[in-house]
């Protein structure tokens, strides 16, 4: 089910703010002062010993990580770690993939656990697997797993709702992906004005359209509009999602308005994070919901064609330093 036509009427917006800035972190190392001649030999020996200890420690750490490397997927192995009768090890994920045959010697694996290596793995403090995306945290093994499930640096799923897209990435990457691969309209500004037209509104299927990505206050927002069955009744729904984490989403609010024939519906709320799937937001009814009969009433005429105009705006909540309450920072 598709819309016959979509119009986006850009609203004048004078407060589109700064975009995304990349910060480069500079590491400053303390300078080494020159020692007196009488202490040169002692200092040199001390530095040599320190360097030797550092190299040994680094070598030990590297050796342990090589020992824990799965020969199949090359990822680090964590409990349960399996081994064959000849002592070759592999991770539990790959054990199921190799059909119970050791990938090194081709012997049957059985259910032998390498308890010694498991204890080594549990004793290590390891960086978060999202370190390359900016996470600086280091954890013991089990704490690491719990952290990674909630890590703020973990990649986001593609928020496009019109297909089961499997792409993941950070926000700048997903914005480019939405624009280039899904051909989503991009707009700057925090007010919008959309007109949705459907020639045969009696045919309502579970079809979804994500029409626009908005850039304002240096952030990105996804406006969704779709038609679906709510029980036995066909409805139209519009809602906004924030391209970022839930804690950041709470800093913003938005309103949606639809109307006609002297009547109107207004929705105000907080945008949901794209950490929540499109379906989860839709099924929680967290947005502007318009019954079909009401939508046709707003459309006017003979009610044989859907003509909905949805307007809205986004604003940032600011903390009032005196009273502690939030006051809106409005776009004009």
């Amino acid at each position: 089910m598709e819309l016959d036509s979509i119009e986006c009427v850009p609203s004048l917006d004078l407060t589109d703010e700064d975009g995304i800035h990349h910060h480069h972190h500079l590491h400053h190392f303390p300078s080494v002062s020159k020692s007196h001649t009488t202490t040169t030999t002692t200092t040199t020996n001390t530095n040599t010993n320190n360097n030797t200890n550092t190299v040994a420690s680094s070598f030990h750490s590297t050796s342990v990580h090589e020992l824990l490397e799965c020969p199949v997927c090359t990822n680090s192995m964590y409990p349960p770690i399996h081994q064959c009768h000849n002592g070759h090890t592999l991770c539990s994920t790959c054990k199921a993939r190799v059909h119970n045959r050791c990938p090194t010697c081709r012997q049957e694996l059985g259910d032998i656990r390498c308890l010694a290596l498991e204890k080594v793995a549990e004793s290590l403090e390891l960086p978060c697997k999202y370190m390359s995306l900016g996470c600086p945290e280091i954890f013991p093994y089990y704490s690491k797993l719990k952290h990674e499930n909630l890590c703020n640096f973990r990649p986001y799923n593609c928020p496009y709702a019109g297909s089961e897209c499997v792409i993941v990435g950070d926000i700048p990457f997903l914005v480019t992906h939405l624009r280039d691969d899904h051909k989503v309209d991009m707009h700057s500004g925090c007010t919008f004005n959309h007109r949705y037209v459907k020639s045969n509104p009696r045919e309502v299927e579970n079809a979804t359209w994500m029409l626009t990505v908005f850039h304002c206050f240096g952030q990105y927002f996804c406006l969704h509009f779709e038609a679906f069955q709510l029980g036995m009744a066909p409805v139209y729904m519009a809602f906004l999602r924030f391209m970022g984490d839930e804690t950041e989403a709470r800093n913003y609010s938005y309103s949606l308005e639809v109307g006609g024939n002297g009547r109107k519906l207004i929705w105000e709320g907080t945008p949901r994070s794209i950490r929540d799937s499109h379906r989860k937001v839709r099924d929680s009814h967290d947005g502007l919901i318009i019954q079909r009969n009401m939508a046709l009433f707003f459309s006017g005429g003979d009610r044989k064609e859907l003509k909905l105009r949805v307007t809205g705006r986004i604003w940032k909540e600011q903390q009032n330093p005196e009273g502690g309450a939030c006051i809106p920072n409005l776009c004009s």
Side-chain angles (χ1 to χ4, degrees):
M1 174 180 175
E2 297 182 358
L3 295 177
D4 294 333
S5 65
I6 302 170
E7 297 178 10
C8 178
V9 183
S11 301
L12 181 61
D13 193 333
L14 302 178
T15 59
D16 182 27
E17 300 191 352
D18 56 328
I20 297 175
H21 301 280
H22 299 280
H23 301 280
H24 300 279
H25 300 283
L26 300 178
H27 300 278
H28 300 281
F29 297 93
S31 58
V32 180
S33 60
K34 292 183 178 180
S35 303
H36 295 292
T37 305
T38 56
T39 61
T40 299
T41 303
T42 303
T43 303
T44 302
N45 290 338
T46 302
N47 289 341
T48 301
N49 291 336
N50 289 340
N51 290 340
T52 302
N53 292 337
T54 301
V55 170
S57 176
S58 175
F59 178 77
H60 173 72
S61 177
T62 301
S63 299
V64 170
H65 283 287
E66 288 178 352
L67 197 63
L68 289 171
E69 184 179 279
C70 174
V72 179
C73 65
T74 70
N75 293 326
S76 295
M77 295 185 292
Y78 304 113
I81 299 175
H82 299 274
Q83 69 174 25
C84 71
H85 292 281
N86 294 323
H88 303 126
T89 57
L90 79 165
C91 69
S92 58
T93 301
C94 291
K95 181 176 183 290
R97 293 165 52 189
V98 298
H99 306 293
N100 206 37
R101 289 284 175 183
C102 174
T104 304
C105 65
R106 308 306 300 168
Q107 295 295 315
E108 186 175 352
L109 283 170
D111 293 314
I112 305 174
R113 296 267 294 274
C114 186
L115 301 180
L117 206 53
E118 287 184 4
K119 288 186 178 295
V120 172
E122 291 172 359
S123 68
L124 290 179
E125 288 197 341
L126 304 167
C128 172
K129 71 177 180 181
Y130 303 121
M131 178 177 62
S132 62
L133 297 178
C135 183
E137 303 293 341
I138 297 176
F139 297 94
Y141 168 64
Y142 288 109
S143 299
K144 174 179 178 287
L145 295 183
K146 294 177 182 178
H147 161 79
E148 288 171 351
N149 288 331
L150 300 172
C151 179
N152 289 335
F153 292 91
R154 72 190 189 277
Y156 296 88
N157 294 320
C158 173
Y160 190 73
S163 63
E164 296 298 327
C165 184
V166 296
I167 296 296
V168 298
D170 60 15
I171 299 304
F173 173 81
L174 289 180
V175 169
T176 302
H177 165 67
L178 289 171
R179 182 192 65 208
D180 297 344
D181 298 330
H182 293 299
K183 310 303 179 185
V184 171
D185 291 334
M186 302 283 171
H187 293 275
S188 293
C190 53
T191 59
F192 45 89
N193 187 345
H194 280 290
R195 185 168 178 261
Y196 305 99
V197 179
K198 184 73 180 68
S199 60
N200 189 358
R202 299 291 175 183
E203 297 178 0
V204 175
E205 301 171 0
N206 284 321
T208 302
W209 310 280
M210 188 180 80
L211 297 179
T212 312
V213 170
F214 291 95
H215 181 231
C216 63
F217 299 110
Q219 306 289 345
Y220 290 91
F221 300 83
C222 299
L223 176 65
H224 296 265
F225 180 84
E226 67 173 276
F228 65 99
Q229 295 285 145
L230 183 58
M232 298 299 293
V235 298
Y236 300 93
M237 183 174 180
F239 57 92
L240 199 72
R241 285 202 291 167
F242 174 74
M243 296 189 71
D245 281 318
E246 182 181 354
T247 52
E248 295 179 87
R250 295 194 193 105
N251 295 325
Y252 301 91
S253 297
Y254 74 102
S255 66
L256 297 172
E257 181 178 315
V258 62
N261 287 332
R263 308 288 190 274
K264 65 180 178 182
L265 292 175
I266 299 176
W267 164 270
E268 286 192 3
T270 300
R272 296 280 287 271
S273 165
I274 60 171
R275 294 285 189 204
D276 290 334
S277 68
H278 161 269
R279 184 175 292 276
K280 180 178 179 179
V281 179
R282 190 195 76 177
D283 292 348
S284 67
H285 308 157
D286 192 0
L288 176 65
I289 297 179
I290 313 158
Q291 301 291 336
R292 184 176 63 183
N293 288 339
M294 182 66 74
L296 293 175
F297 176 78
F298 288 153
S299 300
D302 56 6
R303 300 193 178 190
K304 292 183 179 180
E305 184 177 43
L306 178 72
K307 294 180 181 179
L308 283 181
R309 183 176 295 276
V310 177
T311 60
R313 63 186 177 92
I314 305 166
W315 65 90
K316 186 175 183 179
E317 300 288 355
Q318 291 184 328
Q319 195 74 21
N320 185 344
E322 296 180 359
C326 288
I327 56 176
N329 178 12
L330 301 176
C331 288
S332 57

